[in-house]
Amino acid sequence: MRYLFLALILALTPQAQLHAQQPDGGALQDQQHYMQKLNYLIGRWTGQATVTPATGPALQLNETETAQYRSNGTVLEISSIGFAPDGTTPRNFLSTISYDDIHFTYHIATTVNGRSLTADLAVRSKGFSWAYTEAGATTTTTMQLTPKGEWSETTQTVVGNAPPRTVFQMLLHLQP
């Protein structure tokens, strides 16, 4: 009887170890499933962008964005650089999008020209939006694929009761 008990323990030990290495409750598969809703972003995109600062003239940029999955398909990384006509790069950012399977929400963490922030991300069919409030100003970014399959993105800022002011606009095309 003692040998049978020992044999049973040894037989089950690899299963227990394997189970301990599996993501808890299928979290990995859930996260991958929800992240697949952003598959349309994968690739290299190029096009034009306009940055409109609070003071001074608008700046036209040649924009390049690259979107790819990381961390076993549970994180979408988007890197971007905007080139001005003089060759400078006044717009650089790196964003990651992830899905929280415990709270059933998407999150974006982004660093733009050295400033970092995080926000909840509202994902909808072929688009998303996110917003944050800082120093009395609310900034909202909305991205949507156009009927032609272009990446259209607009960022607007609202200060107090003033009307929204567009601070960034871009239209990108997916490269083959």
Side-chain angles (χ1 to χ4, degrees):
M1 178 78 163
R2 189 167 119 182
Y3 292 110
L4 180 61
F5 181 70
L6 182 59
L8 183 60
I9 288 175
L10 290 175
L12 292 178
T13 300
Q15 287 291 75
Q17 289 174 347
L18 181 62
H19 181 69
Q21 294 171 2
Q22 297 288 326
D24 186 33
L28 177 64
Q29 291 81 10
D30 286 349
Q31 291 171 5
Q32 290 169 332
H33 169 76
Y34 282 97
M35 290 304 295
Q36 288 175 6
K37 292 182 179 186
L38 299 169
N39 279 350
Y40 61 89
L41 291 171
I42 301 301
R44 184 172 178 271
W45 298 76
T46 61
Q48 301 299 306
T50 304
V51 177
T52 307
T55 60
L59 182 60
Q60 301 298 315
L61 304 175
N62 289 319
E63 189 79 18
T64 299
E65 304 223 0
T66 303
Q68 58 190 334
Y69 285 116
R70 299 285 191 192
S71 191
N72 211 11
T74 62
V75 175
L76 180 63
E77 176 188 86
I78 303 171
S79 60
S80 175
I81 190 163
F83 291 95
D86 65 3
T88 60
T89 55
R91 184 171 184 275
N92 280 286
F93 85 81
L94 177 66
S95 293
T96 57
I97 297 173
S98 59
Y99 180 76
D100 180 344
D101 63 315
I102 294 171
H103 297 102
F104 310 108
T105 56
Y106 290 88
H107 299 285
I108 186 167
T110 190
T111 300
V112 180
N113 296 337
R115 289 198 64 222
S116 298
L117 59 99
T118 59
D120 288 343
L121 186 77
V123 173
R124 59 184 177 277
S125 178
K126 305 289 184 182
F128 59 79
S129 63
W130 56 284
Y132 66 95
T133 301
E134 182 178 73
T138 299
T139 301
T140 303
T141 298
T142 303
M143 179 278 170
Q144 188 69 46
L145 280 190
T146 69
K148 293 181 180 179
E150 300 159 316
W151 178 329
S152 175
E153 188 169 314
T154 302
T155 301
Q156 294 186 317
T157 299
V158 175
V159 179
N161 293 330
R165 186 174 72 80
T166 300
V167 295
F168 179 75
Q169 234 173 344
M170 76 175 181
L171 187 63
L172 305 179
H173 309 277
L174 183 60
Q175 299 304 298

